[in-house]
Amino acid sequence: MSTVALAVTDGMLHFELSMAYEVFGSLPDGVSVPWYDVTVCGSAAVRVGRFRLEPDQGLDRLRDADTVIVPGWADVDVDPPAELVDAVRAAHAAGARVASLCTGAFVLAAAGLLDGKRATTHWAHTDVLAARHPRVEVDPDVLYVDNGSVLTSAGKAAAMDLCLHLVRLDHGSAVANVAARRLVVPPHRAGGQAQFVATPVPARDDHPLGDLFPWVVARLDQPLTVEDLAREARMSSRHLGRHFRAATGTTPLQWLLTQRIRRAQELLEATDDSVDAIATATGMGTATTLRRHFNRTVGVPPDTYRRTFRARAQPDPASVGPLAPLGPLGPLG
């Protein structure tokens, strides 16, 4: 069983803290893999929002955890507590994977864990993080950054994305999808998506693209074109492009490619299908086309990706139910 330690101090943001506890502390129904042993570590009783929280362990116990989660806190104008910074640094030195949620990145930066690395935090505080820690390559336009043993996320919904990303790394997409369904959130949003777009979701239930997204996701094995999507949406291709940009922050073709790549990732992790079969199932046509787009988007070839994830302890896909539909929309902030 993997151990997850939540590092707390006065002024922690209660949303990120409680969200992380919910993700790692609750075994989803129908999942039989060993789940996480979660503990809350702090030097003493702390104030989290309007609540008083009594930690389970002292900060010195962070070094015993496999994964350390550092939630954000409200006052980024002051330096994080030295004892928290020292404990997080010691935990990483002892081999822990360390992840920050929202402004928790300021703790990781103060500990020197982000020096020379890409990192992110809530978009409203990226300038402050970059000015205070010039050795950190701050990226204000992504949901989260995975540097292996050090990970950072933007705020709120992006913090949930990072937590589910960690579950996905540990247990595969099938289990992460079950956890996402329980939490009623999209099962996977790539960290490279933008933190913010002008209109992240359709404002009305009768949005012109409301029926198009599930229609497309159900037909990813077909060679769909922009004209096909426009015809189904009963609008011109140019009109479709405008609606897509407003709703997802990207173009119809880029969104469609993203859905195909995500489906390929799930099939590579959860099935023994050949790359040729997956190329057909995702509408890529040939293994060569799939490999080219997959390598460019994910950063590794499909075969390498499969070996990486199948080397982990994977549950039987039947034990966690069917693959969850991929989230149809783009960035949610």
Side-chain angles (χ1 to χ4, degrees):
M1 178 180 294
S2 179
T3 55
V4 174
L6 306 180
V8 299
T9 188
D10 278 333
M12 282 284 175
L13 298 173
H14 63 275
F15 179 86
E16 284 78 0
L17 175 61
S18 58
M19 181 203 64
Y21 196 94
E22 181 66 22
V23 171
F24 298 108
S26 300
L27 175 66
D29 291 340
V31 171
S32 58
V33 299
W35 204 239
Y36 303 95
D37 179 19
V38 179
T39 184
V40 178
C41 296
S43 57
V46 298
R47 299 296 301 182
V48 180
R50 297 183 178 180
F51 306 100
R52 183 178 184 274
L53 177 66
E54 189 74 36
D56 303 314
Q57 306 276 357
L59 286 173
D60 61 316
R61 299 306 297 273
L62 292 180
R63 64 175 180 269
D64 299 327
D66 298 305
T67 299
V68 172
I69 305 292
V70 184
W73 75 96
D75 192 0
V76 298
D77 293 328
V78 299
D79 291 332
E83 59 181 350
L84 175 61
V85 172
D86 291 342
V88 168
R89 185 189 297 115
H92 184 260
R97 176 177 62 181
V98 179
S100 65
L101 308 181
C102 195
T103 51
F106 284 81
V107 176
L108 273 58
L113 302 186
L114 301 180
D115 288 353
K117 296 183 175 67
R118 283 179 65 240
T120 194
T121 187
H122 192 287
W123 60 268
H125 304 295
T126 51
D127 288 346
V128 177
L129 181 63
R132 191 174 300 170
H133 299 282
R135 296 183 64 185
V136 180
E137 183 186 342
V138 180
D139 190 339
D141 297 322
V142 296
L143 297 178
Y144 58 84
V145 177
D146 182 347
N147 289 303
S149 65
V150 179
L151 305 91
T152 55
S153 86
K156 308 301 180 187
M160 175 70 78
D161 290 317
L162 178 55
C163 289
L164 289 174
H165 173 67
L166 292 173
V167 173
R168 190 167 181 269
L169 289 175
D170 294 339
H171 299 295
S173 63
V175 170
N177 285 359
V178 174
R181 284 198 297 269
R182 183 179 67 83
L183 297 165
V184 197
V185 296
H188 175 60
R189 294 196 297 164
Q193 290 191 63
Q195 285 194 35
F196 175 80
V197 293
T199 309
V201 295
R204 311 182 310 275
D205 291 340
D206 62 347
H207 188 276
L209 302 184
D211 294 331
L212 180 64
F213 292 124
W215 182 87
V216 174
V217 170
R219 293 167 175 78
L220 291 177
D221 60 327
Q222 300 177 20
L224 299 172
T225 65
V226 173
E227 289 72 23
D228 293 329
L229 272 61
R231 189 179 305 112
E232 177 64 22
R234 295 180 177 84
M235 61 182 66
S236 69
S237 298
R238 180 174 295 182
H239 199 194
L240 177 76
R242 286 198 295 268
H243 278 297
F244 246 92
R245 177 65 68 178
T248 71
T250 189
T251 66
L253 279 180
Q254 185 57 51
W255 178 85
L256 179 58
L257 176 61
T258 298
Q259 304 310 304
R260 295 192 194 282
I261 294 297
R262 291 179 181 176
R263 179 64 58 80
Q265 287 177 299
E266 290 191 334
L267 294 175
L268 286 165
E269 294 180 34
T271 75
D272 293 318
D273 295 348
S274 67
V275 174
D276 287 284
I278 292 174
T280 300
T282 57
M284 293 288 193
T286 67
T288 299
T289 300
L290 172 60
R291 286 191 172 96
R292 182 174 69 253
H293 287 295
F294 195 96
N295 197 8
R296 185 177 62 190
T297 302
V298 181
V300 295
D303 308 273
T304 301
Y305 182 89
R306 167 173 272 167
R307 285 196 299 271
T308 299
F309 279 89
R310 296 302 287 271
R312 306 174 195 276
Q314 293 288 323
D316 181 348
S319 71
V320 294
L323 296 177
L326 292 167
L329 298 180
L332 300 180

